[in-house]
Amino acid sequence: MKSSMMLDSLWVLATRFVMRAANFVVFLLLARGLTQAEFGTYGYVVASILMLSVVFDVGLRQSIGLSIGEGGRAAEAVVTQMLLLWLVLAVAGSIAMVAIATFGGPSQPLLLLVLGVASLAPAMLIRMGQGVFLGSGRMACLNRSELIGRAVLLVGTLALWSVSGLTIASALMLLLASYLSAAGFLLWQLRDLLGRARPDLALCRTLLRRGLGFAGGIVAMILLGRVGIWIVNAQLDAADVGAYFAIMRLAEMVAEVATAVGVVIFSHGVRAVDAEAAALATVRTARGVTALMAVIGCGAALFAEPLLSLAVGPAYVAHADAFRLMLAGAVVSCFSMMLYPGLSSRGDARYGFWLFAPGAVLAGLLCWWAAPIWGVAGAAFAAAAAQAAVALGFILTCHKVFALPIGSIVLPQIEDIRAVGRLLGRRTRLQGARA
């Protein structure tokens, strides 16, 4: 169990680093090709799609993974009900997206609103469909379902940049194309499970009931990271929104690696037979990945000014200190992103709501107070402080639930290095045998 989770985590880490590199190039081109105000609009749309795709998923991603992982339901039946629920929830989500795009954000032409709204349904389908891969342990399929969309986004952005065609409209068109391609590829990967079962309202209700147990924590988790951009949008000018989005996305590249590993932790947890071994593997993975991200975060903070200048342009260098604050929050939030899936996979999803929800409220209140005083730096401080408080809460919760010393949860151990060495050695031997 331990080796399997760590091996999968290493593969996910390698995949995510490739994806982050692609995202970084896209991010760099968008930040330089759009004005700060346009970049802020793009960020507002992306943040809204992410938030609403989670809200209207209502925890089905995890519920589907849990139902398949337990082995009590045929995958074909679960996929059929997933598609039925997606059709209904996508309509409701699209209505909410219209409201947010029309009344909540900066005034934009109709085309931009349509593109933002149209992106929500395929984003929801990707999220729900990946629950099937979580429950069946098909991590390679999950990775491919994400890579295809990133590839479309990268190639398309490079093409638009090369012909000087990068505008806010073309960027949102490309975003929609990336979601549609990823959703289509996901359905192709699920083709063997499609059309083999009939609608089952009882199973739909079961999936929804179980999903709602996850939904509160997941929504609060996303809100913790996104509430700042809405408050900055309400209190500061469009250029500040663009700056905040830029440093937030750069810093989040650290935490997104931990989020990806959290997917592995959840997938293994729902299929685990030995709860104690699963808990130990979760803690080992969390502390090791967080230590790695801390090293990367320290390097990024040390070279914040040249990194911002290279990534998003000289105009953003003035926000280097805000970026450092964001990085600190992103590193400590790695614990939350990995310990929460470990808890929820063993039936303790309730802790997510009780920790993330107060954290989101804290982030919102601090940002509302600090942003008008210190601008983007104040908003960054609010986000980092709230993320640190939530991470501490998860560490203390795992100390209680897993009955493990706090030091063993937080600090890397000698056994972690030895385990990685054994895995790399085994991989080398396998490659040698194949050669």
Side-chain angles (χ1 to χ4, degrees):
M1 174 67 185
K2 293 179 182 178
S3 296
S4 180
M5 181 183 290
M6 185 167 288
L7 185 60
D8 279 351
S9 297
L10 288 173
W11 278 115
V12 167
L13 279 173
T15 301
R16 296 297 161 163
F17 279 127
V18 172
M19 292 172 61
R20 293 289 79 79
N23 283 351
F24 183 75
V25 174
V26 172
F27 183 80
L28 184 153
L29 295 178
L30 287 175
R32 291 177 175 272
L34 305 178
T35 67
Q36 272 191 298
E38 289 174 335
F39 196 51
T41 298
Y42 183 86
Y44 186 88
V45 171
V46 170
S48 298
I49 291 171
L50 175 61
M51 187 70 222
L52 290 179
S53 67
V54 173
V55 170
F56 286 92
D57 170 73
V58 294
L60 285 173
R61 174 186 172 107
Q62 285 73 21
S63 176
I64 290 166
L66 189 59
S67 296
I68 294 177
E70 290 177 340
R73 299 284 186 177
E76 293 89 344
V78 173
V79 170
T80 298
Q81 312 324 308
M82 176 199 76
L83 292 175
L84 292 174
L85 290 169
W86 168 73
L87 288 173
V88 176
L89 293 169
V91 172
S94 297
I95 294 172
M97 186 69 186
V98 169
I100 286 180
T102 303
F103 304 110
S107 177
Q108 296 295 334
L110 178 61
L111 174 62
L112 302 189
L113 300 182
V114 170
L115 292 172
V117 172
S119 298
L120 181 64
M124 289 177 59
L125 179 59
I126 295 165
R127 181 173 179 83
M128 291 181 185
Q130 287 177 344
V132 180
F133 302 142
L134 291 177
S136 57
R138 296 163 62 185
M139 303 309 299
C141 290
L142 187 146
N143 286 334
R144 286 195 290 269
S145 70
E146 293 192 344
L147 284 171
I148 187 70
R150 308 298 173 89
V152 169
L153 200 59
L154 174 61
V155 173
T157 303
L158 286 170
L160 288 172
W161 175 268
S162 67
V163 297
S164 300
L166 198 55
T167 64
I168 182 63
S170 64
L172 290 177
M173 287 181 187
L174 188 57
L175 182 68
L176 173 59
S178 70
Y179 280 127
L180 289 172
S181 60
F185 184 71
L186 182 141
L187 289 175
W188 183 81
Q189 290 187 105
L190 295 176
R191 63 192 182 281
D192 293 339
L193 304 177
L194 299 176
R196 295 190 176 186
R198 295 181 178 181
D200 184 342
L201 293 180
L203 179 52
C204 282
R205 287 194 295 269
T206 298
L207 290 173
L208 282 172
R209 176 177 52 80
R210 300 181 80 170
L212 289 173
F214 292 98
I218 297 167
V219 170
M221 177 181 68
I222 301 299
L223 189 59
L224 170 64
R226 288 294 181 269
V227 66
I229 195 168
W230 289 311
I231 294 177
V232 169
N233 180 72
Q235 293 193 321
L236 304 179
D237 60 31
D240 286 330
V241 178
Y244 183 82
F245 177 67
I247 63 171
M248 179 186 73
R249 286 299 297 134
L250 277 176
E252 279 182 345
M253 291 182 181
V254 172
E256 283 176 357
V257 172
T259 302
V261 174
V263 170
V264 176
I265 291 172
F266 181 82
S267 178
H268 279 264
V270 297
R271 294 177 288 121
V273 176
D274 188 337
E276 182 178 355
L280 291 173
T282 294
V283 168
R284 169 189 285 184
T285 303
R287 71 195 180 207
V289 172
T290 302
L292 175 61
M293 293 302 102
V295 172
I296 294 174
C298 287
L302 183 63
F303 298 100
E305 285 85 359
L307 177 59
L308 287 172
S309 181
L310 172 65
V312 288
Y316 295 85
V317 173
H319 302 287
D321 288 338
F323 176 54
R324 291 186 176 98
L325 287 170
M326 279 286 196
L327 278 171
V331 169
V332 296
S333 73
C334 289
F335 279 113
S336 305
M337 298 301 104
M338 291 179 285
L339 295 179
Y340 174 50
L343 288 166
S344 61
S345 69
R346 52 180 283 157
D348 291 322
R350 65 187 184 279
Y351 290 115
F353 177 78
W354 293 114
L355 291 171
F356 282 122
V361 172
L362 177 62
L365 292 175
L366 285 175
C367 188
W368 195 267
W369 165 72
I373 302 174
W374 295 295
V376 175
F381 162 76
Q387 288 169 336
V390 172
L392 178 60
F394 273 107
I395 291 168
L396 294 176
T397 299
C398 287
H399 165 63
K400 176 182 177 182
V401 174
F402 296 157
L404 294 172
I406 292 178
S408 69
I409 298 174
V410 176
L411 301 175
Q413 309 291 309
I414 296 297
E415 66 181 68
D416 301 341
I417 300 174
R418 291 173 178 168
V420 172
R422 287 195 298 269
L423 288 173
L424 293 177
R426 186 174 71 181
R427 178 64 180 171
T428 301
R429 289 194 297 272
L430 286 174
Q431 290 177 334
R434 290 172 183 171

